[in-house]
Amino acid sequence: MEEPNAWDDPEKAQAKMKLLGSLKDDVEGFKRLIMEKEDLETLLEMAEEDPDPAYIDEAQEMLAAFKAHYESIRIKTLLSGEYDNCNAIVTLHAGTGGTEAMDWTGMLYRMYSHWVESHGFSMDVLDILDGEEAGLKSVTFQVNGENAYGLLKSEHGVHRLVRISPFNANGKRQTSFAACEVMPDIKEDLDIEIDDKDIRIDTFRSSGAGGQHINKTSSAIRITHLPTGIVVSCQNERSQFQNKDKAFEELRIKLYMLKKEQHAEKLSDIRGTVSEIAWGSQIRSYFLQPYQLIKDTRTGEEQSNAQKVLDGDIDPFINAYLKWLALKNKEEKA
């Protein structure tokens, strides 16, 4: 019997074409880097023969561009994890801090939205729950783009904010927390069976921005996996059936990861921290008052321009994390 051709499956064919396109871009990028190096060397030789200031200025610009291109290629070589090339499913939860924590969760959502836009990725909101006074209690969104998970896995964990709260009449400095969970959106068939007696399915009326149809019926779905306590929700699709399918897809991914790691303690390597969303568990601290400083507790990476980071410029933290993770894995293998 003739074996089925993978190209006959539209989804698999699309995945193969995407991979081929990515590999082609990698090769072209490397060739372009070699050409930039050769052009820079030629310009430096010209500058040695004729020390014109214009040559020096141009060489400095070319060197800066070469370094940036080299760094982007080097970072991409660190994205070699099994699921790094997948889309990412990101969930933000408000932690301790009340209204302040919900506002902080909304700020993080804005930060990631700007990062997604700046990288040419797309984003689909799967579930959103507004705060009573401000911000968000929680939000789940999918980031679609090459290596989205490989880049955003650096963000999993608890994020701590220190600032003078706009919700405090006394103008006191306040600390609040929000958790970020990141999972890969695995498209392959997962060998995961979900027993009906192990789940509870709740329907509810959708909340947040999502179009006029979304609030007319109780089409949103929440699935609770009773043995593990995993909860997934979806409300962005147009029908209850579509929301249910997407929620089950997310649940299967989480259970697959849990099974792959064999015990819950190792799940933090893939889906992020599962610790309490409070003091002492943060991976990154954002100080807005009395001084501005954002520091990652794992890598030691610091940025003093807090507003620039909150506007979506988190690449320095992502790059530092990938380098730190590669070094950590190398040391563990040694």
Side-chain angles (χ1 to χ4, degrees), residues 11-30:
E11 290 190 3
K12 290 183 178 179
Q14 185 178 7
K16 283 182 176 291
M17 290 300 296
K18 182 179 178 181
L19 176 60
L20 289 173
S22 177
L23 293 174
K24 182 179 179 181
D25 290 341
D26 290 344
V27 172
E28 293 299 323
F30 183 73

Side-chain angles (χ1 to χ4, degrees), residues 258 261-270 272-274:
L258 191 59
E261 291 301 316
Q262 295 184 346
H263 57 81
E265 290 179 357
K266 290 186 179 179
L267 186 60
S268 60
D269 293 335
I270 296 175
T273 181
V274 292

Side-chain angles (χ1 to χ4, degrees), residues 183-224:
M183 295 284 292
D185 179 32
I186 305 172
K187 293 301 184 184
E188 63 191 64
D189 294 333
L190 301 178
D191 184 22
I192 292 292
E193 293 184 5
I194 301 176
D195 198 318
D196 290 342
K197 64 179 176 50
D198 288 338
I199 60 173
R200 184 179 71 244
I201 301 178
D202 300 306
T203 60
F204 58 98
R205 193 175 298 274
S206 303
S207 63
Q212 292 182 350
H213 75 277
I214 206 165
N215 291 313
K216 291 181 180 179
T217 60
S218 297
S219 61
I221 292 291
R222 180 185 298 112
I223 302 176
T224 304

Side-chain angles (χ1 to χ4, degrees), residues 123-300:
M123 187 172 75
D124 299 317
V125 177
L126 305 179
D127 186 57
I128 190 166
L129 183 60
D130 294 326
E132 286 90 355
E133 297 181 38
L136 300 170
K137 287 184 178 179
S138 66
V139 59
T140 299
F141 54 94
Q142 180 170 312
V143 179
N144 308 301
E146 185 180 2
N147 295 320
Y149 171 70
L151 295 169
L152 287 173
K153 66 184 180 184
S154 65
E155 300 305 291
H156 64 230
V158 176
H159 296 246
R160 171 192 175 208
L161 173 69
V162 180
R163 68 171 178 176
I164 295 175
S165 173
F167 306 101
N168 189 315
N170 297 321
K172 292 184 178 180
R173 194 169 64 157
Q174 187 167 333
T175 301
S176 52
F177 301 87
C180 178
E181 178 182 317
V182 185
M183 295 284 292
D185 179 32
I186 305 172
K187 293 301 184 184
E188 63 191 64
D189 294 333
L190 301 178
D191 184 22
I192 292 292
E193 293 184 5
I194 301 176
D195 198 318
D196 290 342
K197 64 179 176 50
D198 288 338
I199 60 173
R200 184 179 71 244
I201 301 178
D202 300 306
T203 60
F204 58 98
R205 193 175 298 274
S206 303
S207 63
Q212 292 182 350
H213 75 277
I214 206 165
N215 291 313
K216 291 181 180 179
T217 60
S218 297
S219 61
I221 292 291
R222 180 185 298 112
I223 302 176
T224 304
H225 188 254
L226 302 176
T228 62
I230 294 174
V231 180
V232 294
S233 302
C234 186
Q235 62 171 290
N236 75 312
E237 303 294 347
R238 296 191 65 88
S239 74
Q240 185 180 112
F241 296 106
Q242 290 172 313
N243 282 325
K244 188 176 180 180
D245 287 344
K246 186 63 181 179
F248 264 111
E249 179 184 325
E250 185 179 346
L251 178 59
R252 286 191 182 92
I253 292 172
K254 292 193 175 187
L255 290 175
Y256 173 75
M257 290 301 185
L258 191 59
K259 178 181 177 181
K260 185 179 177 65
E261 291 301 316
Q262 295 184 346
H263 57 81
E265 290 179 357
K266 290 186 179 179
L267 186 60
S268 60
D269 293 335
I270 296 175
R271 74 162 190 168
T273 181
V274 292
S275 57
E276 183 182 359
I277 313 174
W279 186 274
S281 58
Q282 67 270 6
I283 59 151
R284 191 177 301 151
S285 294
Y286 303 68
F287 298 95
L288 302 188
Q289 278 96 16
Y291 56 89
Q292 289 200 0
L293 178 68
I294 300 180
K295 181 173 182 178
D296 195 291
T297 59
R298 302 159 301 179
T299 65

